[in-house]
Amino acid sequence: MEKAATTMADEKKKDEQQKKPKAPKGDKAQASAEPKAGPEAPRHAAKETPRLRARFEKEVAVALMKELELKNPMAVPRLNKIVVNMGVGEATQNAKLIDPAVNELGHIT
């Protein structure tokens, strides 16, 4: 009869352990306990429009709409990205050629 009592107590303990959620072990427990950081804040204030964007919207876009006879402001051409590339294949053998190339790209941009 003692064995039956101990087995029933053991079964109750197992049931209670199965019902409790297990905490993660090791580094995962520390990482999940810390709040997750959101995306980094922009360098400029959210209310502040960048200087060149404001100038484009006020002056350049209006002039382009008149010049191209556009009625919809979304039809105004915009620049999304500008890429400047220069091939300096000879610089692999002669390192002195890289300095003038850097200066030229600096003047262009």
Side-chain angles (χ1 to χ4, degrees):
M1 193 143 157
E2 289 180 25
K3 288 184 180 179
T6 57
T7 56
M8 291 179 76
D10 290 339
E11 288 179 15
K12 286 182 182 180
K13 287 181 184 178
K14 287 181 183 178
D15 289 341
E16 289 175 2
Q17 288 176 354
Q18 289 177 352
K19 290 179 184 177
K20 291 181 185 177
K22 293 182 181 180
K25 296 180 182 178
D27 295 335
K28 292 181 182 178
Q30 292 174 356
S32 63
E34 296 176 7
K36 293 183 180 179
E40 292 183 19
R43 293 184 183 177
H44 61 280
K47 296 178 184 176
E48 181 182 333
T49 305
R51 175 180 58 87
L52 290 175
R53 177 170 287 166
R55 183 173 180 202
F56 178 82
E57 291 171 356
K58 290 179 183 177
E59 299 173 17
V60 179
V62 173
L64 281 172
M65 284 181 68
K66 288 179 184 176
E67 184 179 332
L68 300 174
E69 299 175 0
L70 301 172
K71 295 179 183 176
N72 186 350
M74 295 303 290
V76 175
R78 301 177 195 284
L79 294 175
N80 293 330
K81 179 168 74 169
I82 299 172
V83 178
V84 180
N85 191 5
M86 175 184 261
V88 285
E90 296 176 10
T92 58
Q93 285 104 20
N94 189 357
K96 293 180 182 178
L97 295 176
I98 200 86
D99 290 331
V102 169
N103 288 335
E104 289 177 16
L105 279 177
H107 288 296
I108 292 170
T109 59

